[in-house]
Amino acid sequence: MNIAFINPPFHPKYSRGSRSPAVTKSGTVYYPIWLALAAGVAEKRGHSITLIDAPAEIISAEQVIERLHQFRPGLAVVETSTGSISSDIRFAEQLKQTFPSIFVCLVGNHATALHEEVLNQYPVADAVARNEYEETIVELAGVLSGGGALEKVTSLTWRDGGSVRSNPQRPANQKLDDMPFASEIFKRFCKPRDYFFAAGRYPQMMVYTGRGCPYLCTYCVYPQNFYGHTYIHRSPESIAAEFRYIEQNFPEVVEVTIEDDTFTVYKKHTIDVCKLLIAQKNTLTWTCNVRADLDEETMRWMKRANCRLVIVGFESGSNEILKLMKKGVSVEQFKAAENAKKTGLLIHACYMMGNRGETLETMYETLNLAKKLNTDTAQFFPLMIYPGTEAYEWAKKENLIDAKSFDEWLTPEGLHNTVVRTHDLTAQEIVDFCNYARREYYLRPAYMFMKLKSVLRNPAELRRTLKAFLSFYKYLFGGSHKENKNKFETKLAAGSVQRKNIDVPSFGVKHGQAAAPGRMPADVEAR
């Protein structure tokens, strides 16, 4: 069967595959990793494939359909996201109008979380392939080609006449080494210069080396919607082989971004990957997501293996907020910044405002922590809630979501729009504080001096720093910083924040959920 894997048109450079889909202020655009992996598996099983990433290429619906005329797909796999869902459905309608017999299957976090609701609301969609969908698409294509019944396709929600049916869930994929490399599909269908990662060197390539995360952060989308709280990784040999493939087939690529939620879950595995990269004389620099307490020994191995930067979700400077978001780590355990400086790794730090229990005081605690850690780069981000996450259910239950539809998850330009408040802060106050914190952080003499020393030590960083700055400067200098500063400092001094009493959960699995068996060995780092 001819299968088209489509990241549908929307705003130019809309990053649908990221954890918080939007047109980003930093210019970051994710590769369509999930679509590429599913396409690779389908082709390996004998199907003909094409992959079109319309937002990255900046092409219209009409241009996508023109390409499909030559391919003539029988099955369209259409990626969705929360803020773009209305546009995604309009594109599906255009597909149906042009190819009346085409079977439209939606995928992605939004469609997975609200699979039955989406099919009931939008009759144009024929099915949703939930969660990890590589095998589901292969089974679906087999049925559509005349080999069985839809009720036998695991993890499929589908339209059965006038009703919607959901088939049983597929177990997590335990054999990630059996799949083709995503980079093999990117080689044929994607141009690296269409993609950008603000904290990374350009051009870069994105890969997954594992799925799942054993930690229980309430806001994190993929572990809750897609692959669960068990980290299943590819073998070190497979990971090293994909690095070699990228080196040999993408001469323009200088860096690899490992997109696992937490690459360093297992210390021994991480070090084994590093040893193989060292042995094969890997020339690509790389970045990855790590826990806030990552140890110095692991970082030294990563640096030797040409790791350049680690991305750390410190998230909050308040232990109470960390507990409420089920981060599983305290401020006192935040050793990653110190260890990175010891080992020569750069750090991109992530801080989040507006989680459950947040007040003006706790946001100041976070800003003060960020200044103290003084990392290479930092982002201050309002909480973005998505269906399927515990954070979304909390906000919905507490009537804290201001939006009337999912369209409001984005601004008219496609940027993130904060739609959730707390009991103490409005959504606008959270956004204003993030803007205030960003300027307070980046325009400090201590930061500028640190950055100058970093560039002098490593002139290669200058190009990346300038490119990121040029993408970001209008957001850094825009708005009324002085007005926000006076507003927040006056409110803080007046002690005007009256905090609502909130039960603080203990670390561990969330209510009603069993811990994943056999997935927390002695060498696991707490994130």
Side-chain angles (χ1 to χ4, degrees):
M1 169 169 278
N2 291 353
I3 310 175
F5 294 85
I6 306 169
N7 189 14
F10 196 40
H11 295 285
K13 302 302 181 182
Y14 179 73
S15 199
R16 195 179 264 106
S18 74
R19 292 170 182 82
S20 295
V23 176
T24 67
K25 293 179 179 180
S26 65
T28 293
V29 182
Y30 274 53
Y31 281 83
I33 300 180
W34 283 98
L35 288 174
L37 289 169
V41 171
E43 185 174 52
K44 188 176 179 180
R45 304 293 180 81
H47 299 282
S48 296
I49 63 163
T50 190
L51 187 152
I52 302 175
D53 189 350
E57 293 189 55
I58 315 182
I59 59 176
S60 66
E62 290 71 26
Q63 289 172 297
V64 173
I65 288 173
E66 180 60 32
R67 290 192 195 178
L68 293 177
H69 270 298
Q70 300 175 7
F71 183 69
R72 306 215 54 87
L75 169 60
V77 179
V78 178
E79 187 160 16
T80 67
S81 67
T82 299
S84 68
I85 186 63
S86 296
S87 176
D88 304 338
I89 294 300
R90 287 194 294 272
F91 174 74
E93 290 171 346
Q94 287 180 272
L95 282 179
K96 284 282 193 179
Q97 290 167 4
T98 308
F99 307 103
S101 62
I102 198 171
F103 190 98
V104 174
C105 182
L106 306 180
V107 296
N109 275 303
H110 187 84
T112 288
L114 301 177
H115 49 104
E116 294 186 353
E117 177 181 318
V118 164
L119 289 187
N120 280 316
Q121 185 174 356
Y122 302 114
V124 69
D126 296 300
V128 170
R130 308 189 307 269
N131 312 95
E132 301 172 285
Y133 53 82
E134 297 94 356
E135 293 295 334
T136 303
I137 295 302
V138 169
E139 289 183 10
L140 174 60
V143 169
L144 296 177
S145 298
L150 288 176
E151 57 262 30
K152 300 297 183 181
V153 180
T154 314
S155 282
L156 188 75
T157 301
W158 54 289
R159 199 178 305 285
D160 184 10
S163 63
V164 171
R165 296 176 58 181
S166 292
N167 296 344
Q169 187 78 356
R170 184 184 307 279
N173 186 351
Q174 302 282 338
K175 298 180 179 181
L176 301 183
D177 281 9
D178 292 345
M179 291 197 298
F181 299 152
S183 52
E184 292 177 316
I185 302 300
F186 297 151
K187 176 67 177 174
R188 293 157 53 192
F189 298 106
C190 301
K191 298 177 181 178
R193 294 191 183 277
D194 287 340
Y195 303 90
F196 179 66
F197 184 58
R201 297 172 67 208
Y202 176 81
Q204 54 86 36
M205 177 67 61
M206 285 185 176
V207 301
Y208 270 124
T209 70
R211 295 179 178 178
C213 182
Y215 311 107
L216 303 168
C217 307
T218 58
Y219 53 84
C220 203
V221 176
Y222 277 108
Q224 295 183 78
N225 264 350
F226 256 51
Y227 34 54
H229 293 290
T230 299
Y231 184 55
I232 302 168
H233 55 73
R234 292 160 55 187
S235 69
E237 292 76 13
S238 171
I239 297 166
E242 185 160 20
F243 268 73
R244 186 184 299 109
Y245 176 85
I246 294 168
E247 278 187 292
Q248 295 173 346
N249 289 274
F250 296 91
E252 71 274 40
V253 167
V254 295
E255 184 157 285
V256 173
T257 302
I258 296 176
E259 257 304 293
D260 304 20
D261 286 281
T262 312
F263 172 66
T264 54
V265 169
Y266 300 121
K267 181 173 181 176
K268 182 180 182 302
H269 169 72
T270 304
I271 293 174
D272 286 346
V273 172
C274 291
K275 288 179 177 178
L276 283 181
L277 292 177
I278 294 167
Q280 72 184 35
K281 296 181 172 55
N282 165 60
T283 62
L284 295 167
T285 56
W286 50 284
T287 69
C288 63
N289 301 304
V290 307
R291 289 284 281 183
D293 63 345
L294 185 61
D295 67 284
E296 182 181 341
E297 180 188 8
T298 302
M299 283 189 166
R300 289 200 181 279
W301 278 106
M302 292 166 65
K303 179 65 176 179
R304 287 182 61 194
N306 222 19
C307 181
R308 184 186 62 85
L309 174 141
V310 291
I311 303 159
V312 185
F314 295 106
E315 312 306 3
S316 178
S318 164
N319 279 330
E320 181 180 0
I321 301 303
L322 291 171
K323 288 180 180 179
L324 286 167
M325 66 171 70
K326 298 185 180 178
K327 188 69 179 174
V329 67
S330 66
V331 172
E332 292 74 23
Q333 295 172 291
F334 286 174
K335 301 299 182 184
E338 177 186 348
N339 290 334
K341 290 172 184 177
K342 289 179 182 178
T343 57
L345 290 173
L346 301 177
I347 279 198
H348 176 70
C350 303
Y351 301 99
M352 189 184 301
M353 310 291 186
N355 274 279
R356 184 181 177 205
E358 193 85 86
T359 66
L360 185 57
E361 288 97 329
T362 61
M363 292 196 299
Y364 265 106
E365 287 182 67
T366 300
L367 175 56
N368 290 335
L369 172 69
K371 291 178 178 179
K372 179 182 177 181
L373 296 181
N374 202 31
T375 56
D376 179 66
T377 51
Q379 67 179 46
F380 299 88
F381 203 72
L383 170 67
M384 299 299 297
I385 54 172
Y386 295 99
T389 65
E390 192 173 344
Y392 177 84
E393 292 304 320
W394 154 72
K396 186 176 178 181
K397 179 180 178 182
E398 297 290 322
N399 295 315
L400 296 173
I401 300 175
D402 293 331
K404 295 181 175 63
S405 75
F406 290 123
D407 293 340
E408 295 180 46
W409 256 244
L410 300 171
T411 69
E413 300 78 26
L415 297 167
H416 291 113
N417 186 36
T418 303
V419 299
V420 62
R421 63 188 186 278
T422 72
H423 290 289
D424 298 284
L425 298 162
T426 67
Q428 189 59 51
E429 284 178 319
I430 296 168
V431 171
D432 288 346
F433 192 89
C434 287
N435 293 333
Y436 162 72
R438 189 178 303 115
R439 289 193 61 173
E440 284 287 299
Y441 182 83
Y442 279 110
L443 301 184
R444 292 174 298 126
Y447 176 80
M448 294 180 184
F449 182 65
M450 179 272 292
K451 197 64 182 173
L452 177 61
K453 288 198 303 182
S454 174
V455 170
L456 290 175
R457 282 196 308 268
N458 186 3
E461 283 294 307
L462 180 61
R463 181 184 177 191
R464 180 192 66 83
T465 301
L466 286 176
K467 183 172 177 61
F469 177 77
L470 291 173
S471 298
F472 196 61
Y473 81 96
K474 64 180 178 181
Y475 302 106
L476 184 62
F477 291 100
S480 177
H481 181 68
K482 185 175 181 180
E483 182 181 330
N484 281 336
K485 182 180 178 70
N486 290 338
K487 175 179 67 176
F488 291 129
E489 290 184 353
T490 300
K491 187 173 182 179
L492 189 68
S496 60
V497 177
Q498 299 296 321
R499 304 197 65 186
K500 181 177 179 179
N501 291 328
I502 300 173
D503 293 330
V504 179
S506 60
F507 296 150
V509 297
K510 62 185 179 183
H511 180 68
Q513 177 187 11
R519 288 293 168 182
M520 293 292 286
D523 66 347
V524 68
E525 275 83 52
R527 179 176 175 183

